[in-house]
């Protein structure tokens, strides 16, 4: 039986080795860091700089860009310079596959400008070249004093390792299914590569691990095992999560289980943007996931009822959206002027049934009139009714009350 008086909330964070990426700490006792990735052609300096700036303004504390060609590598230092001129010092992570060793060798300015290198052990090279090219990448990280993420991925699993494990398990007749062997191959790929990097001279304080898969249950199993078997800081993400609500739900389901268990030091929500949707959506989802779990606070959260037959107009739904947009837009300014505003809670409710009660639990709440109710909207501040709004200007007046509350 559950004791309702028991403390609840996430387990304490699992101990990991802290890693500095520029000025941002990942792991150790640092708060879980939000990161994102651009989808522009990195060789296009203008569009990539613009998108990095958008992601940063939305709250991405680290931004990864693909570095896949000589042109992209050459553009990278110019992107970092332009961002600095705009007053944006977000650490930029270079995502390398296949040719990272060559690009870093040919573009020292890129190697220097990046704050971290992402290395996929399944895509470093093939056959005999694999070990050499991996060693070259680590050598650059050592030479330029950069951290790396060893990022294994289900979609680019080290096939030689997977085959070896399959053979070993077949020969030993262990009752492992293929899925379990492949999960082990993914975990081993990340861990073995990290240990090899340490042997090559890169300290554990500069290594972050990830092992991404696209299935929720597999991801949870893989990360529990990674956390059990190492102290490396962990980057969480459900790869290829998908589009729209499916991507959001799948990522949130997987990451929330792990975060609740204290696993994960930085997260990325990999969403396929819907046509016309902003890339910043994945940053907002990551922030909301951490905030609704009580792990961090980024912007005031709005509680709103779903509405029902008691709500006569769409005004109430519009007001909930307007209030959320308003506080999100004001937050960058409030963050500087009124630290702590991000912890504020708001309620926008559709009728008297739950409206006043929920509004009293929030810092500021409004209960709009439902069907058959008097056309008035009581406002509550810190549990006390302070004013009743009426007429056309309810939305503007309520936003004014929020601003005044924050300023106080
Ligand atoms: Fe319906 Fe009122 Fe409940 Fe909102 S608070 S869901 S309008 S009964």
């Amino acid at each position: 039986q559950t004791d309702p008086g028991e403390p609840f909330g996430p387990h304490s964070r699992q101990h990991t080795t802290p890693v500095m990426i520029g000025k941002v700490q990942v792991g150790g006792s640092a708060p879980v860091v939000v990161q994102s990735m651009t989808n522009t052609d990195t060789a296009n300096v203008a569009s990539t700089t613009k998108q990095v700036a958008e992601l940063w303004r939305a709250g991405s504390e680290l931004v990864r860009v693909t570095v896949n060609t000589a042109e992209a590598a050459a553009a990278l230092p110019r992107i970092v310079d332009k961002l600095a001129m705009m007053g944006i010092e977000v650490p930029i992570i270079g995502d390398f596959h296949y040719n990272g060793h060559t690009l870093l060798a040919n573009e020292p300015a890129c190697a220097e400008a990046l704050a971290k290198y992402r290395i996929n052990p399944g895509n470093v090279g093939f056959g005999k070249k694999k070990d050499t090219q991996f060693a070259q990448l680590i050598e650059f990280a050592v030479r330029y004093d950069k951290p790396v993420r060893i990022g294994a991925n289900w979609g680019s699993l080290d096939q030689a390792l997977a085959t070896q494990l399959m053979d070993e398990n077949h020969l030993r007749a262990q009752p492992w299914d293929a899925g379990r062997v492949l999960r082990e191959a993914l975990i081993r790929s990340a861990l073995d590569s990290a240990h090899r990097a340490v042997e090559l001279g890169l300290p554990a304080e500069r290594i972050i691990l990830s092992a991404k898969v696209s299935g929720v249950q597999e991801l949870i199993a893989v990360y529990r095992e990674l956390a059990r078997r190492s102290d490396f800081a962990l980057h969480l993400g459900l790869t290829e999560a998908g589009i729209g609500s499916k991507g959001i739900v799948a990522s949130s389901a997987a990451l929330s289980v792990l975060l609740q268990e204290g696993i994960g030091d930085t997260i990325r929500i990999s969403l396929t943007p819907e046509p016309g949707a902003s890339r910043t959506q994945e940053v907002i989802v990551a922030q909301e996931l951490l905030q609704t779990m009580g792990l961090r606070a980024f912007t005031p959260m709005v509680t709103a009822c779903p509405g029902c037959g008691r709500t006569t107009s769409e005004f109430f739904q519009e007001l909930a959206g307007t209030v959320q947009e308003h506080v999100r837009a004001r937050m960058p300014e409030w963050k500087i002027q009124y630290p702590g505003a991000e912890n504020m809670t708001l309620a926008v409710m559709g009728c008297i049934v739950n409206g006043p009660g929920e509004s009293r639990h929030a810092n500021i709440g409004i209960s709009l009139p439902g069907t058959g109710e008097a056309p008035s909207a009581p406002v509550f501040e810190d549990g006390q009714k302070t004013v009743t709004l009426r007429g056309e200007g309810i939305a503007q007046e309520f936003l004014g009350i929020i601003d005044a509350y924050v300023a106080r």
Side-chain angles (χ1 to χ4, degrees):
Q1 284 192 345
T2 306
D3 173 357
E6 265 176 22
F8 63 94
H11 301 188
S12 54
R13 295 270 299 285
Q14 297 213 6
H15 171 77
T16 55
T17 306
V19 179
M20 293 305 298
I21 304 171
K23 293 178 183 163
V24 178
Q25 181 177 326
V26 171
S29 55
V32 179
V33 170
V34 170
Q35 63 173 286
S36 184
M37 184 174 184
T38 57
N39 62 357
T40 52
D41 176 1
T42 307
N44 186 328
V45 174
S47 64
T48 303
T49 305
K50 182 167 174 279
Q51 196 175 67
V52 171
E54 284 167 3
L55 292 167
W56 176 77
R57 285 193 194 99
S60 189
E61 294 159 307
L62 305 169
V63 177
R64 182 159 47 115
V65 302
T66 191
V67 185
N68 55 340
T69 61
E71 292 76 17
L76 202 283
R78 293 163 57 206
I79 292 166
V80 173
D81 285 349
K82 281 189 111 178
L83 289 165
M85 281 191 280
M86 294 160 72
I88 298 173
E89 286 192 30
V90 62
I92 303 295
I93 300 159
D95 198 62
F96 292 102
H97 300 270
Y98 314 114
N99 56 357
H101 58 294
T102 309
L103 296 175
L104 289 173
N106 294 341
E107 284 291 346
C110 172
E112 185 56 60
L114 288 168
K116 187 178 81 170
Y117 310 151
R118 183 275 169 112
I119 303 172
N120 180 338
N123 285 345
V124 168
F126 302 101
K128 288 180 186 161
K129 285 185 179 168
K130 187 181 167 219
D131 285 348
T132 320
Q133 292 174 184
F134 181 79
Q136 285 172 328
L137 282 165
I138 298 302
E139 201 180 298
F140 285 118
V142 172
R143 187 188 308 167
Y144 290 97
D145 205 15
K146 305 291 180 184
V148 301
R149 168 161 66 99
I150 309 274
N153 194 299
W154 194 244
S156 46
L157 189 56
D158 182 333
Q159 289 306 319
L161 181 59
T163 307
Q164 180 198 327
L165 284 177
M166 282 285 192
D167 289 347
E168 283 174 12
N169 284 289
H170 175 69
L171 290 173
R172 289 178 196 157
Q174 288 184 0
W176 282 19
D177 59 46
R180 194 169 155 202
V181 174
L182 290 173
R183 278 201 298 279
E184 176 64 15
L186 189 73
I187 294 163
R188 283 268 299 273
S189 174
L191 286 175
D192 291 356
S193 302
H195 294 310
R196 175 88 182 112
V198 172
E199 281 170 15
L200 290 163
L202 192 68
E205 293 76 20
R206 274 197 259 142
I207 299 174
I208 293 176
L209 287 192
S210 67
K212 295 189 185 180
V213 300
S214 56
V216 170
Q217 297 295 349
E218 281 91 353
L219 192 89
I220 294 168
V222 163
Y223 272 89
R224 279 179 177 157
E225 198 57 17
L226 271 181
R228 191 181 70 78
R229 282 154 67 168
S230 88
D231 285 338
F232 291 111
L234 295 179
H235 164 125
L236 294 190
L238 186 75
T239 193
E240 287 99 39
I243 195 163
S245 59
K246 188 266 170 182
I248 295 171
V249 170
S251 289
S252 303
L255 269 52
S256 59
V257 170
L258 292 164
L259 291 166
Q260 184 73 5
E261 293 176 11
I263 297 171
D265 300 296
T266 175
I267 63 169
R268 189 228 167 166
I269 305 285
S270 306
L271 295 181
T272 308
E274 292 186 76
S278 167
R279 189 70 168 172
T280 56
Q281 189 195 17
E282 63 177 48
V283 178
I284 292 168
V285 172
Q287 289 186 332
E288 288 180 341
L289 174 62
L290 293 175
Q291 186 153 358
T292 53
M293 290 190 69
L295 293 168
R296 289 189 67 180
F298 299 93
T299 195
M301 289 269 116
V302 179
T303 299
C305 77
C308 67
R310 287 177 172 271
T311 45
T312 49
S313 75
E314 289 183 356
F315 173 69
F316 136 76
Q317 287 141 287
E318 284 169 16
L319 182 63
T322 303
V323 169
Q324 183 71 77
E325 278 170 30
H326 177 76
V327 294
R328 192 167 277 141
R330 299 297 306 273
M331 201 53 226
E333 183 193 321
W334 287 349
K335 201 169 160 185
I336 297 162
Q337 288 185 336
Y338 309 115
E342 66 275 16
N343 295 308
M344 184 169 63
T345 55
L346 300 156
V348 178
M349 300 293 291
C351 86
I352 202 169
V353 171
N354 289 325
E358 195 69 59
S359 297
R360 280 196 187 93
H361 290 306
N363 291 117
I364 311 176
I366 186 166
S367 177
L368 293 168
T371 321
E373 295 174 25
S376 60
V379 173
F380 298 82
E381 296 181 54
D382 293 328
Q384 303 296 321
K385 187 169 129 185
T386 51
V387 66
T388 300
L389 304 179
R390 290 186 177 82
E392 300 287 303
I394 287 181
Q396 279 315 310
E397 284 183 57
F398 187 58
L399 297 184
I401 289 169
I402 295 169
D403 290 350
Y405 181 96
V406 173
R408 283 203 302 278

